[in-house]
Amino acid sequence: MHSPRLCIDGRCDRNSYGALVAEEIINQLVACQGEPSATNEWIERGRTVLLAHPDQIFEGQWRRYNTKMPVGLSPLYWAWERNFVKEASLSVFHKFRQADRLGLRLPCETVTTVLSPGAIPKPLRLNSRDQIFVVPSHRDRTRLMRESHIAAEKIHVVRPTVRRYCFFCESPKLRTDGKILLIGENARYQQRLSSILKGRFPTQSVEALSFKGRKEVEPLEWLKLIDQTAFAVYLVDKPYDWATLALELFYWGVPVVFPDENGPLNELLPLSPLRLSSFLVNQPDLSGLKKMAEEAGAQLDEANVFEPLSFARQYGKIYSSLPQRTQ
């Protein structure tokens, strides 16, 4: 009989926004070693292996298993994943999957961190309810229970946080004459909002940032962009959004207007005047937005959103609650 073994599946499309979340969680888990309040037995006792593509880069030292096999939906892929879990004698398999491709049952305890869905039609979606799910808000927990018929005790809510680089770099200058940054592609809002913003703030230029690539949100480029931003409108209202960029803007003191439908931001900042509906009705000026951002930042800080190694602490509790069974 061998020791219990955890595998974290870090395979993601590096250009996807969801990869930011997966990479940060994995990087925090290895960074927490030696931190009594943040680490967990799986990491400290070397019972963890990282499954990754050969060209993926993660912080710290991992026991890695590299594969060129991409995550898929075909019967061939499901057979490969089940065989990998069985051959590796895993006790726990932690994966990151979009909500429309959660995956079938595996022969071990499975933890699935749920990311925003892609475009898989509902009749083609296959997922097992016999696993543990992790979502970024209670609204998403309710949605997963309703749409996928998953029991409440199977779903954990993990509070989103900022990436670790925020604690190790200089603050941006935050120019008041900076641009207005529209984040995300949302046809429902974008065209109308651009017109409203140009009329309301005629001296500010409006720039749109989509998620077609990662270059703009890598720390150095992202900080340069923040430095030139007066305020931002975060147009992401998809379910299971981890709101990484919005929270980082709040961390640096940049006002962020966000949709009423965004689960994590509305739960962390309930009834905030920075909700899009309030912003459109009240039409605050830049000084008013700055004051709202200060209050929102203090509220997020009080809720421990900006706590270092926050992901590691929360996932460590989930890992510790799992039965350490062997195959």
Side-chain angles (χ1 to χ4, degrees), residues 54-320:
D55 60 346
Q56 284 185 285
I57 299 173
F58 293 93
E59 296 177 11
Q61 298 296 316
W62 285 97
R63 294 171 58 196
R64 282 180 64 141
Y65 180 89
N66 289 328
T67 178
K68 293 184 179 180
M69 174 67 77
V71 175
L73 294 173
S74 69
L76 178 64
Y77 175 75
W78 299 128
W80 181 91
E81 190 172 83
R82 288 178 62 83
N83 184 68
F84 172 80
V85 167
K86 187 175 180 181
E87 291 295 318
S89 300
L90 298 180
S91 308
V92 179
F93 188 64
H94 178 191
K95 57 185 179 176
F96 299 84
R97 298 290 186 268
Q98 291 175 290
D100 53 352
R101 55 192 79 194
L102 295 177
L104 299 177
R105 187 177 185 277
L106 294 173
C108 72
E109 191 76 64
T110 306
V111 177
T112 300
T113 296
V114 185
L115 307 175
S116 290
I120 304 297
K122 285 189 176 181
L124 300 180
R125 299 180 189 181
L126 299 173
N127 64 278
S128 168
R129 295 190 290 273
D130 190 19
Q131 53 184 304
I132 299 298
F133 296 91
V134 182
V135 298
S137 73
H138 292 278
R139 179 181 294 189
D140 290 316
R141 183 173 183 262
T142 301
R143 178 182 287 108
L144 195 60
M145 290 168 58
R146 183 182 66 249
E147 295 182 355
S148 298
H149 308 290
I150 295 169
E153 62 270 17
K154 291 280 189 177
I155 308 173
H156 294 263
V157 176
V158 162
R159 182 183 60 249
T161 186
V162 298
R163 288 175 285 177
R164 289 178 64 243
Y165 82 86
C166 293
F167 307 116
F168 304 105
C169 61
E170 293 184 7
S171 302
K173 296 183 179 63
L174 304 180
R175 292 164 41 192
T176 56
D177 61 342
K179 66 186 73 174
I180 301 170
L181 186 63
L182 298 183
I183 302 175
E185 294 180 341
N186 191 318
R188 178 183 172 190
Y189 295 125
Q190 196 154 350
Q191 187 173 359
R192 181 176 172 229
L193 260 180
S194 294
S195 300
I196 292 173
L197 292 171
K198 288 175 182 178
R200 184 74 181 85
F201 302 95
T203 62
Q204 258 79 30
S205 62
V206 179
E207 179 177 337
L209 175 66
S210 67
F211 297 127
K212 293 180 179 178
R214 278 280 298 276
K215 182 180 178 181
E216 297 91 343
V217 295
E218 294 293 352
L220 288 178
E221 293 298 320
W222 179 227
L223 285 172
K224 289 179 184 176
L225 189 56
I226 293 174
D227 189 51
Q228 301 166 5
T229 300
F231 73 93
V233 183
Y234 188 72
L235 292 175
V236 182
D237 58 1
K238 279 188 173 183
Y240 313 107
D241 172 53
W242 290 76
T244 303
L245 300 184
L247 293 176
E248 289 182 4
L249 287 165
F250 278 124
Y251 178 83
W252 297 116
V254 178
V256 183
V257 176
F258 55 88
D260 297 48
E261 298 86 355
N262 188 285
L265 294 176
N266 276 278
E267 289 180 13
L268 292 168
L269 299 169
L271 302 178
S272 171
L274 287 166
R275 288 176 303 150
L276 187 56
S277 59
S278 297
F279 172 80
L280 292 174
V281 170
N282 298 322
Q283 298 188 19
D285 58 16
L286 279 177
S287 61
L289 286 170
K290 287 288 184 183
K291 184 177 180 181
M292 293 174 192
E294 291 175 6
E295 294 171 352
Q299 197 171 345
L300 292 170
D301 192 29
E302 187 177 349
N304 297 320
V305 171
F306 303 142
E307 179 185 29
L309 298 175
S310 176
F311 275 144
R313 286 180 170 84
Q314 294 178 87
Y315 273 91
K317 291 178 181 178
I318 294 173
Y319 289 162
S320 298

